[in-house]
């Protein structure tokens, strides 16, 4: 079974027959113990440390459909090496573009992304409100914003509503999380421990959504809520809106409140706060375990993993654009 590999240490990646060879290298150039990874076990690579590799290695990865996702010093996603698309569909490309350039079609999809995200945020707040964490003020305010989603007649107005919902939602984090204060949302760099965790978890969610899109006929650069831009896969940003409350935020709440992550797991420097490499490994391991967890799918009548739920969401989008069935965003029922 294929899996995701995380490379937190700087090093050199090369091909050894049909195996990947990763050799860690310290700051003084000393090589550590090499690790060998059979290529048939690799789904994708997440690279957090500097990586030395050549074009022959990327040709090898491309032929084996292995994506490589890169993150900077502040643990933010910066880009990906994506193998040549293997599920190309001219019909799908045309349908996807039509739904972007026709305002009424684009707004239907964009509104659904926000409605799904808002529903899942409310689900989290209600869960904790029922467990002696008073989030009633935030719940009431978000519920007052939700009806405005259908009244938005353009994307900027819709993004303004989404911004109000998200800001209100983040206000509840200080009530949900024990022993840590989030304050205002800050990204580059994160100002404190909670913001650092949000940035790290969101980047993993975004990348997981990108990986799911790659395994469909969707073009990841054509989006509906976020504006398409140079050198970014904006459709993954759209899909991630739905899954951040389900995957990223639940992981954050759980790891803080169970004391799996503590103040000693962070570095405070350069006017910012970052997870230490050992802490990143802990969070990545928890992330992998959670995305592999299965739940009983109401419609399918069988158990599916959270990772597979993202792929199913992408399939729903393709069916909507091809006129097969109307798109309805995933809303937590569990």
């Amino acid at each position: 079974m294929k899996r995701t590999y995380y490379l937190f240490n700087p090093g050199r990646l090369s091909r050894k027959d049909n195996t990947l060879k990763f050799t860690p290298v310290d700051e003084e150039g000393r090589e550590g113990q090499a690790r060998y990874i059979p290529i048939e076990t690799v789904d994708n690579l997440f690279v957090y440390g500097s990586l030395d590799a050549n074009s022959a290695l990327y040709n090898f990865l491309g032929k084996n459909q292995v994506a490589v996702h890169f993150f900077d010093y502040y643990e933010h996603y910066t880009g990906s090496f994506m193998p040549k698309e293997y599920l190309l569909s001219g019909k799908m490309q045309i349908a996807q573009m039509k739904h972007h350039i026709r305002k009424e079609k684009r707004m239907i999809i964009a509104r659904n992304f926000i409605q799904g995200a808002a529903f899942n945020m409310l689900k989290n707040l209600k869960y904790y409100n029922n467990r002696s964490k008073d989030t009633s003020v935030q719940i009431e305010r978000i519920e007052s914003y939700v009806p405005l989603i259908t009244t938005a007649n353009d994307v900027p107005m819709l993004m303004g509503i989404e911004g109000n919902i998200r800001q209100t939602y983040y206000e509840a984090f200080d009530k949900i999380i024990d022993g840590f204060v989030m304050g205002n949302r800050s990204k580059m760099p994160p100002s404190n421990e909670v913001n650092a965790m949000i940035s790290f978890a969101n980047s993993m969610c975004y990348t997981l959504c990108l990986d799911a899109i790659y395994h469909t006929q969707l073009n990841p650069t054509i989006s509906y809520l976020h504006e398409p831009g140079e050198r970014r896969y904006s459709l993954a940003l759209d899909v991630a809106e739905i899954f951040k409350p389900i995957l990223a935020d639940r992981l954050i709440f759980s790891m803080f409140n169970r004391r799996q992550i503590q103040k000693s797991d962070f570095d405070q420097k350069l006017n910012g706060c970052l997870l230490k490499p050992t802490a990143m490994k802990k969070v990545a391991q928890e992330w992998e375990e959670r995305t592999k967890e299965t739940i009983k799918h109401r419609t399918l009548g069988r158990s599916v993993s959270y990772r597979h739920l993202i792929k199913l969401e992408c399939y729903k989008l393709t069916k909507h654009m091809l006129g097969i069935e109307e798109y309805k965003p995933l809303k937590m029922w569990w």
Side-chain angles (χ1 to χ4, degrees):
M1 182 177 178
K2 290 191 174 185
R3 51 167 289 195
T4 298
Y5 286 85
Y6 297 84
L7 304 181
F8 293 103
N9 299 319
R12 185 178 305 109
L13 190 65
S14 58
R15 175 182 180 178
K16 180 70 172 178
D17 298 324
N18 281 326
T19 300
L20 292 177
K21 178 184 177 183
F22 179 70
T23 306
V25 179
D26 64 19
E27 295 179 354
E28 297 180 0
R30 293 190 296 262
E31 294 186 357
Q33 182 71 38
R35 181 183 179 186
Y36 295 88
I37 309 170
I39 191 65
E40 62 269 14
T41 69
V42 183
D43 185 19
N44 47 54
L45 300 171
F46 281 46
V47 180
Y48 290 90
S50 59
L51 185 69
D52 183 11
N54 58 28
S55 59
L57 184 278
Y58 286 107
N59 283 332
F60 179 56
L61 294 173
K63 290 177 181 177
N64 285 277
Q65 302 298 319
V66 175
V68 186
H69 307 293
F70 297 94
F71 300 81
D72 64 14
Y73 174 79
Y74 295 109
E75 299 150 13
H76 297 125
Y77 170 82
T78 56
S80 297
F81 163 78
M82 301 297 291
K84 183 180 179 181
E85 293 179 290
Y86 67 100
L87 294 174
L88 292 174
S89 169
K91 183 179 181 180
M92 187 67 245
Q93 187 97 341
I94 292 170
Q96 196 174 346
M97 183 56 73
K98 284 181 178 179
H99 279 76
H100 173 82
I101 62 177
R102 295 181 183 176
K103 182 179 177 181
E104 68 281 3
K105 290 182 178 291
R106 179 179 180 180
M107 287 301 297
I108 289 171
I109 299 175
R111 289 191 193 102
N112 270 300
F113 285 137
I114 299 302
Q115 287 172 339
F119 182 94
N120 294 333
M121 285 186 240
L122 282 169
K123 193 78 170 182
N124 283 346
L125 296 183
K126 291 175 181 178
Y127 173 87
Y128 283 98
N129 194 58
N130 291 332
R131 285 158 178 78
S132 302
K133 307 275 190 179
D134 186 8
T135 60
S136 56
V137 172
Q138 286 75 27
I139 291 172
E140 183 178 347
R141 201 183 312 161
I142 291 176
E143 287 179 337
S144 72
Y145 288 134
V146 169
L148 301 178
I149 295 172
T150 57
T151 68
N153 53 26
D154 59 29
V155 171
M157 185 181 297
L158 189 60
M159 289 295 284
I161 297 169
E162 187 275 339
N164 288 330
I165 292 172
R166 181 75 57 181
Q167 181 177 350
T168 304
Y169 177 61
Y170 281 145
E171 288 173 6
F173 277 40
D174 286 347
K175 298 182 178 182
I176 294 172
I177 298 171
D178 298 328
F180 291 86
V181 176
M182 173 185 171
N184 295 324
R185 178 75 178 106
S186 57
K187 302 178 183 179
M188 296 186 177
S191 58
N192 54 44
E193 296 89 352
V194 177
N195 274 290
M197 277 286 282
I198 293 173
S199 292
F200 187 67
N202 282 354
S203 69
M204 289 195 294
C205 187
Y206 167 80
T207 313
L208 188 60
C209 291
L210 173 59
D211 195 68
I213 291 169
Y214 174 73
H215 292 290
T216 70
Q217 294 177 332
L218 291 168
N219 185 317
T221 66
I222 303 173
S223 53
Y224 304 92
L225 179 61
H226 296 84
E227 289 295 337
E230 296 291 335
R231 299 182 299 277
R232 75 170 185 172
Y233 300 108
S234 46
L235 183 59
L237 293 172
D238 288 357
V239 177
E241 292 295 330
I242 296 170
F243 288 94
K244 284 189 292 186
I246 299 172
L247 295 175
D249 298 338
R250 283 186 163 196
L251 176 142
I252 291 167
F253 300 150
S254 175
M255 292 197 75
F256 274 125
N257 290 343
R258 292 180 181 176
R259 302 182 184 275
Q260 292 172 278
I261 290 290
Q262 302 183 27
K263 288 187 181 295
S264 58
D265 288 311
F266 297 87
D267 270 336
Q268 294 277 359
K269 54 185 177 182
L270 298 176
N271 298 318
C273 182
L274 299 174
L275 280 159
K276 292 180 180 177
T278 53
M280 285 194 288
K281 292 177 184 178
K282 283 196 291 186
V283 178
Q285 182 177 359
E286 183 73 14
W287 174 265
E288 279 297 298
E289 292 175 358
R290 284 171 175 262
T291 56
K292 290 176 183 177
E293 287 179 5
T294 60
I295 58 167
K296 186 68 173 293
H297 196 285
R298 281 181 171 179
T299 305
L300 298 178
R302 60 181 174 86
S303 295
V304 298
S305 68
Y306 285 96
R307 184 181 292 268
H308 191 62
L309 278 176
I310 301 177
K311 192 177 294 186
L312 291 176
E313 199 71 13
C314 296
Y315 288 145
K316 288 194 295 182
L317 279 171
T318 62
K319 290 180 179 180
H320 174 85
M321 294 173 198
L322 293 173
I324 298 173
E325 63 180 44
E326 185 180 357
Y327 174 62
K328 296 295 182 184
L330 176 68
K331 295 181 178 180
M332 289 191 291
W333 64 85
W334 55 96

